[in-house]
Amino acid sequence: MLSTVLTALPADSDWINFDVPSLMQNFWSATFDGLTFGAIYALVALGYTLVYGVLNLINFAHSEVFIMGCYAVFFTLSFLGFGPSAPNLGIGAIILNLLLALIAAIVASALTAFLVERLAYRPLRKRNAPRLVYLITAIGASFTIQYLIFLWRGPLPEPALTMFIPTPIFEVFGTIIDSQQIIIVVAAVIMMVVVDQFIRRSRTGRGIRAVAQDPDTATLMGVNKEKIIVTTFIIGGVLAGAAALFYVMKIPSGVQYNGGFILGIKAFAAAVLGGIGNVRGALLGGLLLGLIGNYGQILLGSSQWTDVVAFVVLVLVLLVRPEGILGTSLGRSKA
Amino acid sequence: MSTIDGPTPLPGAKASQAAADRQASGNIPGGSADAVRKSGWFGRWSEKWRAMPRQKQWLYLIVIVVIAYLLPVINPPILSTEPGNDFPLALFSMAVYALAAVGLNIVIGYAGLLDLGYIAFFAVGSYTAAMLTSPDSPFFKIPYLWTIPLAILVALCVGVILGIPTLRLRGDYLAIVTLGFGEIIRILATLIPAMKGQVGFQNVGRPPGMGPDGIPIFANSNGTPWYWLALTILIIVLFLAGNLERSRVGRSWIAIREDEDAAETMGVPTFKYKVWAFAMGAGVGGMAGALFAGQVGFVNNQKFDVVTSIMFVAAVVLGGTGNKVGAVLGGAVVAYIPLRFTAIAEYKYLIFGLALVVIMIYRSQGLLPARQRLLAYGHIAYAKVRRTAPIAPAPVTEKEA
Amino acid sequence: MGAHSEDVPVPEDFSAAEPGAVAVSEAVAEAAAPEREIDVAVGDALVEVKNLTIKFGGLVALDNVSFTIKRGEILGLIGPNGAGKTTCFNAMTGVYKPTSGQVMLEGHVLNGMKQHKITRAGLARTFQNIRLFGEMTALENVVVGLDARNKTSVIGALLRLPRHIREEKAAIERGMALLEFVGIAQDAGSLARNLSYGSQRRLEIARALATDPKLLCLDEPAAGFNPAEKEELMALIRTIRDDGYTVLLIEHDMKLVMGVTDRIVVLEFGKKIADDVPHVIREDPKVISAYLGEPEDDFA
C-alpha cells in the first residue's frame, strides 16, 4: 500500500523530507532528549520484560498499569496545588511534593498490576489455558481498564501541570542539559540498576530467574511460583509508576485515557530491541529506541513519525534479530 | 444424532435402547461418529443440524437466507433499531461486521493467530476503494465494483508483507505487531499527503444504477441495496471459507492451532499456511473495508481506530473461535447492540472489553462453540463406520491434551 | 452452511475391524499408499547417520555417532536414560541442528532441511509424549498426514477444483484403511483427545504412516502399555515392516526390543557402544554393564 502510494505520488510532494541539516544542527539536543524519553521507555519496558520472562505472556494491560500511575500523579499534584504554571515553592518543598506523587503513582500502578494478575490471569493459570486465551484476556483487560477511565474522565487529556521549570545545569557540545533531563535519566538508571541487582542477588530474584527458566522444576525445588508471579507483576507496576511520574514531568498534557497505548507499544518494541526477558536489554533497548525515535522525528519533520519509526524498528528487529541485541533470557542471566 | 440419520441397523434391541439412553442424556459416544463435546443449546442445535438429511438442510438454509434478505423490508418491530437508527443501514453495518468477523475468524479461529490490528486491513480496503473512485483523489479512477477485488488484493499483499517477518516467530509477536500496525495506519494516513489526513475523500464511488426517481439505487442513505450487496458477498465468503475448512488448507490451519510442532513434523509447511491464513483474513477485511467506504461515501483518518479491531476480536470470541456461523452472529451482535440499545451505546467498548475477559475466563470456547468439519467427504466415512461398527462402549473421557 | 457436494460413491470396503484386532493384509498397505515402491533392494542402506555430534553449550549429548539403517529392517535404538536416544532421533528429524556430522536418506543430506521437508523426503515419526491434534477426529488426524503427499493448492481448495475433489476422496479411503490397519477404524469419528490411551498411540502410528515414509521412527511407542498391549504392538510393528516399511524403534522395554528388532544400536553417554543383532547384544558385556546401573529395566 505504502509503496503504491509512494510511486504514484506527484513529483513535487515533500511530505517526507530527509532534513539532514536540521538533524546535524540539533544532533546533541536530540540525543539528550532522546535519552530522556528512552529512560522512560526503559522503565515501562522492564515491566513487559519481567512478566514476559516469567509467564511468557505479553501483558497488554501493562500500558494501563502505566496510565493509572499517570492519573495518580495528576490527582496528587492537583491536590497539592500544582497547576498550569510553575509552583512558587522552594526546591525542598517541590522535591517533597514530587516524592508524594511518586509514591501515589507507584501504589496506583502496582495495585493495578496486582489486580490484573489476580482477576484476569490467575484464573487462566489455574486451568492451564492455551496461549491464545491468555493473549485475548490480556488485550481485553487492557481495553476494559482503558474504557473505565474513559467513562470516568472523558475523552480529553487532563489539564497540564507544571512540576518545576527545568534549569540549565551544564553544557555539553554546545547543548544545555537541564535539571529535568538529569533527574529523569539518573533516577531511571538508578532504579533499573537496583532491579537488576535485586534479580541477580536477592532470594526473590533467584526465584524469578528460576521460574523464568523452568516453572515446573522451580516449583519442585520449593519456589512458590504464585508468589513469584505476583511479585513480578508488582515490580513491573512499581517501575511503571516511576515512569508515570517522569512521563507527566516530560509531557504534562499526556494524561489521557488512551495515553498508555502508544507508549506501551514503544516500550514493548524497546524490550524486544534489547532482547525480551532481559533486564539490561530493556534499558539498552529503551535508550536506543528513544534516540532512534528522536532522530527520526527531526529527520522526517513531525513528532508523529516517532511512533512510525518505533514500529518500523520493531518489525526490523523481528525480521533480522528476533532475540534482540542482548538476547539472553531472564532465566539465563548470570548471578 | 447418529441414530436418527436414516435406517440404522442396530444389533438387537438392547443396543438400540442403550443408544437411545445416550441420546437422551445428550452424551454422544465417541464410538459412534462425530463425537462432540457437550456444548449447551447451540451444540445440541448444531448436532441436530448435522443429523438432518441434505435436502432438509438446504430447505432450512434457503428459508433462513430468504428471511435475511427480507429483513430490511419487513422491519420487524422488536428487532428494529428505529427510531434511533435506520434499520436497513443498521443491517448493512451488521453484515459488514459479520464479514470482518468471518475473515478474522480464519486468522484467530482456524490458525490460532491473534491479529489485533484487523482494522488496518479494513482501512487498507477503504482507502483502496476511496482513492480509486473519489474525485478528491489524484489517482486514475475505476468503477467502484472493481475496487472490491482490488481491495482484497491490496489488503492481502499488505498482510503478506506484515506476516512474513512476524509469523516465523511465536504468536505473541504477531499480536503486538498487528496492534501497532492498527495505530500506524492511522498515523500514516495523517502524515502522507496523498491520503489526505482528516480532510479525506468525499463521494466515494458506488455501484451503478438509477432508481425511477433519478436517485442512485446505491445512495449513501439507502441501506437496503447496500445490505443486499453485503449479504450476498457474506454468503459467498461463507461458502468459500467452508471449502477451505474442509480441505488440506483448513486441516493444516487447525493442526497448527492444535500443535504447531507436531503439524510441522507431519509435513505441514506451517509458516506458509500461517501466512496464508493471515493474508486471507486480511483480504476479507479489505473487502469489508471497501464495502464500508462505498456505503459511507467518505473516508478519512478518523474512521479507523484500534478499538474497532478489538471489537472485531470480541465478535469472533463471542461467536466461538473457529465457528464461522458463530462469527457471523458475533459480528452482527457486536454491531447491533449499540445501534438497537442506544442508551448503552456509550458503554459498548467497556461492555465488549469486559466480555472478552469474562468469556476467556469462564467459557473460552465462546458462546457458540462448534467443531470444524475438516473433510470434504468425511460424512460418508463416518456414516459407514456408524452403520457397521458395533456400539462401542462410551469413551473414557479423561485427560485433555 | 457448506458446499458439501452430492453423495459420492462410497469408496472400497473399509468397514471397521474387530476392535483391537490387527488387520494383516498386503492390501491394506496397498490402499494406504498405492504409489509406493515396495521392496526396492531390501538390505541396502536407507539412512546413514555419519559422525553425528550434538553439543548443547558445553554438554556433548551425542558424540560422533554413526550407524546405518537398512531398507526393510526394524532397527532398535536403545540405551540407558540420558544416553542420547531421543537427541539422536530429534537430530534425524530436524528438531535439532547437529553440531557436526550428517544424516542421509537415500544419499540425500537431511540436515538443514525444514522439518516438513524432511517428512516429505520420507522420514516420519511419532512422539514419546503423544502429540495428536486433540480437537480433530481420528480420521482427520490421519488425513493431515496424508496431506503431506497431496498437492491441492489453496486456490484449488477454495474453488473445489477436480484435483481437490479427487484427493479428498482418496484421502478418506486411505485414511480409513490406515485406521483399520492399526485397529481403530471404529473410532474414526471420535475426537483424538477422547480416544483411549492405547488408541491414541495407535493413531499416532497411523498418522505417521499416512505421510508414506521410507523410514518410520517410533519414539517409545509402548510407553504405558500393559504386557498384552505390548504384544499387540509388537505384532503391529512387524506387520508394518512386512508391508515394506523400514522402522527405527526407540524403546525402553528390553523385552519388546529383543522380540521385534532385527538389529540393535546401543548408545551410552552419547556414544555408540554396540551395533549388532539382538542375541549378540544380549550377551555383550559392555551393554550389560551399561544397563547394570538401571535395575528398573527388565533386561531379558
Side-chain angles (χ1 to χ4, degrees):
Chain A
M1 167 110 191
L2 184 57
S3 59
T4 43
V5 173
L6 289 179
T7 49
L9 271 174
D12 63 336
S13 81
D14 55 352
W15 60 279
I16 185 162
N17 56 334
F18 290 97
D19 194 349
V20 180
S22 167
L23 178 62
M24 292 322 236
Q25 207 178 340
N26 300 305
F27 183 79
W28 290 110
S29 71
T31 304
F32 299 135
D33 217 39
L35 288 176
T36 318
F37 277 115
I40 298 172
Y41 298 158
L43 283 175
V44 183
L46 204 54
Y48 283 104
T49 267
L50 287 173
V51 171
Y52 195 91
V54 171
L55 280 188
N56 260 316
L57 162 80
I58 299 181
N59 177 15
F60 284 110
H62 194 60
S63 52
E64 276 58 51
V65 167
F66 163 78
I67 206 70
M68 289 303 267
C70 292
Y71 274 94
V73 169
F74 171 78
F75 283 120
T76 311
L77 290 183
S78 298
F79 178 76
L80 294 172
F82 283 69
S85 54
N88 190 14
L89 292 169
I91 185 155
I94 290 182
I95 290 176
L96 189 69
N97 283 328
L98 292 192
L99 276 179
L100 283 175
L102 179 67
I103 291 167
I106 284 175
V107 169
S109 288
L111 192 67
T112 311
F114 173 77
L115 286 177
V116 166
E117 199 282 322
R118 196 40 77 85
L119 297 178
Y121 301 142
R122 180 168 290 192
L124 298 181
R125 244 189 348 268
K126 283 225 172 98
R127 64 181 179 82
N128 215 354
R131 310 197 45 75
L132 186 66
V133 169
Y134 269 103
L135 286 174
I136 293 177
T137 309
I139 193 72
S142 159
F143 205 62
T144 304
I145 301 174
Q146 216 178 88
Y147 281 90
L148 277 175
I149 302 175
F150 176 85
L151 290 175
W152 174 40
R153 302 300 304 170
L156 296 176
E158 303 296 337
L161 293 178
T162 308
M163 298 185 194
F164 58 92
I165 304 289
T167 48
I169 303 289
F170 54 87
E171 205 181 295
V172 190
F173 305 114
T175 305
I176 290 163
I177 295 181
D178 64 40
S179 51
Q180 193 187 53
Q181 289 170 326
I182 298 228
I183 290 174
I184 293 175
V185 173
V186 171
V189 170
I190 289 175
M191 283 184 168
M192 301 203 57
V193 169
V194 168
V195 169
D196 187 55
Q197 292 305 309
F198 176 76
I199 287 174
R200 271 154 209 270
R201 301 198 193 284
S202 77
R203 198 180 143 75
T204 312
R206 261 203 309 281
I208 292 176
R209 281 184 288 129
V211 173
Q213 207 160 32
D214 187 340
D216 297 332
T217 311
T219 313
L220 287 177
M221 295 297 148
V223 176
N224 184 342
K225 191 176 133 198
E226 290 301 314
K227 212 171 133 192
I228 291 293
I229 289 171
V230 172
T231 312
T232 309
F233 270 84
I234 289 177
I235 295 174
V238 168
L239 292 168
L245 176 73
F246 302 139
Y247 180 77
V248 180
M249 192 184 286
K250 186 83 188 144
I251 306 173
S253 60
V255 187
Q256 194 180 1
Y257 76 101
N258 61 359
F261 175 73
I262 277 282
L263 191 116
I265 290 183
K266 282 190 196 167
F268 184 82
V272 172
L273 179 61
I276 189 126
N278 183 321
V279 176
R280 294 176 183 184
L283 178 60
L284 180 67
L287 294 178
L288 271 178
L289 197 75
L291 289 177
I292 297 169
N294 251 20
Y295 295 149
Q297 172 187 344
I298 294 178
L299 200 60
L300 299 169
S302 160
S303 68
Q304 284 192 301
W305 280 110
T306 48
D307 303 342
V308 181
V309 167
F311 177 74
V312 172
V313 166
L314 174 62
V315 172
L316 285 181
V317 172
L318 291 181
L319 193 62
V320 179
R321 195 178 157 86
E323 69 276 24
I325 297 172
L326 296 185
T328 51
S329 74
L330 187 61
R332 303 230 180 80
S333 61
K334 293 181 189 70
Chain B
M1 37 146 328
S2 62
T3 42
I4 50 173
D5 186 5
T8 17
L10 288 169
K14 240 182 208 167
S16 80
Q17 186 54 50
D21 288 348
R22 273 194 298 276
Q23 194 75 40
S25 66
N27 181 9
I28 298 128
S32 79
D34 292 47
V36 163
R37 58 187 144 183
K38 283 178 274 177
S39 49
W41 63 268
F42 183 82
R44 276 196 290 279
W45 182 81
S46 87
E47 277 320 300
K48 258 188 193 147
W49 171 259
R50 297 226 157 77
M52 278 181 206
R54 243 329 101 80
Q55 300 83 344
K56 210 170 165 190
Q57 285 183 352
W58 277 110
L59 195 74
Y60 273 102
L61 264 186
I62 289 170
V63 170
I64 292 170
V65 167
V66 167
I67 292 176
Y69 272 101
L70 288 180
L71 270 179
V73 183
I74 305 170
N75 201 349
I78 297 171
L79 275 181
S80 178
T81 52
E82 287 166 2
N85 292 288
D86 181 65
F87 189 56
L89 282 178
L91 284 171
F92 171 76
S93 168
M94 286 160 69
V96 168
Y97 260 77
L99 188 59
V102 170
L104 188 56
N105 183 46
I106 295 176
V107 188
I108 297 182
Y110 293 170
L113 305 164
L114 187 55
D115 180 350
L116 294 176
Y118 200 61
I119 191 69
F121 302 113
F122 194 87
V124 166
S126 288
Y127 271 102
T128 306
M131 291 168 82
L132 294 177
T133 58
S134 165
D136 300 346
S137 156
F139 291 96
F140 58 89
K141 302 295 183 306
I142 59 173
Y144 170 75
L145 285 177
W146 281 105
T147 64
I148 293 181
L150 208 64
I152 300 175
L153 203 69
V154 174
L156 205 99
C157 292
V158 175
V160 171
I161 292 169
L162 213 58
I164 283 174
T166 38
L167 288 170
R168 289 180 308 148
L169 308 166
R170 291 168 36 121
D172 314 42
Y173 289 111
L174 184 74
I176 193 94
V177 165
T178 49
L179 187 65
F181 184 61
E183 179 71 9
I184 293 305
I185 195 97
R186 196 180 57 75
I187 298 175
L188 283 180
T190 313
L191 290 172
I192 300 175
M195 295 174 80
K196 300 197 99 167
Q198 202 165 349
V199 178
F201 301 92
Q202 307 271 0
N203 300 319
V204 178
R206 57 168 68 95
M210 282 288 176
D213 42 4
I215 298 169
I217 297 173
F218 283 86
N220 303 126
S221 58
N222 193 3
T224 307
W226 279 108
Y227 168 65
W228 284 337
L229 177 65
L231 184 62
T232 309
I233 289 178
L234 177 64
I235 289 170
I236 294 170
V237 168
L238 279 175
F239 262 90
L240 294 178
N243 281 355
L244 284 180
E245 192 178 306
R246 285 182 299 277
S247 76
R248 77 191 277 239
V249 182
R251 288 189 292 271
S252 300
W253 286 338
I254 306 289
I256 290 168
R257 185 190 74 189
E258 293 288 302
D259 187 335
E260 193 170 334
D261 297 334
E264 177 80 24
T265 309
M266 285 305 125
V268 176
T270 50
F271 175 63
K272 177 181 139 186
Y273 277 112
K274 284 197 287 183
V275 173
W276 263 115
F278 189 63
M280 287 221 169
V284 176
M287 179 159 60
L291 274 174
F292 170 80
Q295 186 272 320
V296 176
F298 173 58
V299 171
N300 75 353
N301 62 3
Q302 304 295 303
K303 300 234 179 264
F304 314 101
D305 42 5
V306 174
V307 294
T308 314
S309 292
I310 313 298
M311 298 294 271
F312 290 145
V313 175
V316 171
V317 166
L318 214 60
T321 46
N323 175 8
K324 57 188 182 303
V325 180
V328 171
L329 294 177
V333 164
V334 166
Y336 177 76
I337 285 183
L339 292 171
R340 170 69 178 80
F341 306 102
T342 42
I344 58 164
E346 192 188 350
Y347 301 93
K348 67 174 175 177
Y349 294 127
L350 183 65
I351 291 170
F352 288 113
L354 208 54
L356 274 180
V357 179
V358 172
I359 291 174
M360 281 299 117
I361 291 176
Y362 295 104
R363 198 181 162 83
S364 61
Q365 71 272 38
L367 297 183
L368 312 176
R371 216 185 64 73
Q372 299 77 36
R373 309 283 117 173
L374 302 171
L375 298 165
Y377 302 103
H379 55 285
I380 301 167
Y382 298 141
K384 184 90 179 170
V385 172
R386 269 203 297 275
R387 265 195 289 280
T388 50
I391 293 299
V396 203
T397 46
E398 7 61 276
K399 47 179 279 179
E400 298 222 352
Chain C
M1 174 117 357
H4 284 302
S5 77
E6 74 299 341
D7 275 12
V8 290
V10 179
E12 262 37 74
D13 177 40
F14 46 64
S15 54
E18 299 299 311
V22 180
V24 184
S25 86
E26 193 79 12
V28 171
E30 288 280 323
E35 294 101 20
R36 202 161 57 86
E37 300 162 27
I38 295 176
D39 295 350
V40 185
V42 172
D44 266 14
L46 175 72
V47 173
E48 285 176 82
V49 175
K50 281 187 191 164
N51 309 323
L52 198 64
T53 301
I54 294 185
K55 292 178 186 164
F56 297 116
L59 181 79
V60 182
L62 218 52
D63 187 2
N64 212 14
V65 171
S66 303
F67 59 92
T68 56
I69 305 173
K70 293 178 193 146
R71 213 182 279 274
E73 74 174 347
I74 301 176
L75 179 73
L77 186 61
I78 65 168
N81 276 330
K85 294 170 304 210
T86 300
T87 309
C88 178
F89 210 75
N90 282 338
M92 291 174 68
T93 50
V95 179
Y96 298 147
K97 221 178 142 192
T99 313
S100 66
Q102 282 180 332
V103 179
M104 310 223 307
L105 177 72
E106 293 184 322
H108 301 288
V109 180
L110 294 184
N111 343 102
M113 276 168 83
K114 289 220 171 99
Q115 278 187 60
H116 70 263
K117 294 238 167 91
I118 291 180
T119 306
R120 287 176 187 202
L123 214 139
R125 69 170 291 182
T126 64
F127 293 90
Q128 194 174 330
N129 44 343
I130 302 171
R131 293 179 77 170
L132 291 164
F133 307 121
E135 291 291 309
M136 292 187 181
T137 65
L139 181 57
E140 286 163 356
N141 266 280
V142 173
V143 175
V144 169
L146 287 168
D147 282 334
R149 299 288 165 213
N150 283 345
K151 296 191 168 59
T152 303
S153 64
V154 174
I155 304 298
L158 196 65
L159 304 176
R160 294 177 70 85
L161 299 179
R163 168 154 60 191
H164 165 67
I165 292 173
R166 203 167 58 235
E167 285 185 350
E168 285 294 316
K169 287 179 185 167
I172 299 284
E173 189 180 336
R174 290 199 215 168
M176 286 306 296
L178 278 163
L179 287 179
E180 191 184 336
F181 178 67
V182 298
I184 54 169
Q186 73 283 0
D187 291 331
S190 306
L191 292 188
R193 65 181 172 85
N194 290 341
L195 292 176
S196 70
Y197 181 75
S199 297
Q200 289 191 351
R201 285 246 176 251
R202 284 165 181 276
L203 180 54
E204 272 224 322
I205 295 175
R207 188 179 64 174
L209 278 176
T211 64
D212 189 18
K214 295 186 172 104
L215 175 69
L216 175 68
C217 306
L218 303 173
D219 195 350
E220 302 206 15
F225 273 14
N226 65 33
E229 289 170 322
K230 280 183 185 170
E231 206 61 50
E232 283 178 11
L233 185 77
M234 275 163 73
L236 179 65
I237 295 173
R238 278 198 211 99
T239 315
I240 291 169
R241 192 268 311 270
D242 292 346
D243 275 2
Y245 292 93
T246 311
V247 178
L248 172 65
L249 177 69
I250 290 190
E251 188 49 65
H252 234 63
D253 185 317
M254 293 305 279
K255 200 169 159 196
L256 189 110
V257 175
M258 291 295 166
V260 77
T261 53
D262 300 313
R263 201 156 57 84
I264 295 175
V265 170
V266 188
L267 294 179
E268 191 195 11
F269 299 125
K271 290 197 173 90
K272 185 169 96 170
I273 57 169
D275 179 353
D276 217 318
V277 291
H279 70 267
V280 178
I281 293 288
R282 198 192 300 259
E283 311 298 332
D284 191 319
K286 269 195 288 184
V287 179
I288 293 170
S289 79
Y291 270 88
L292 271 181
E294 298 221 333
E296 71 271 17
D297 282 312
D298 56 331
F299 186 66

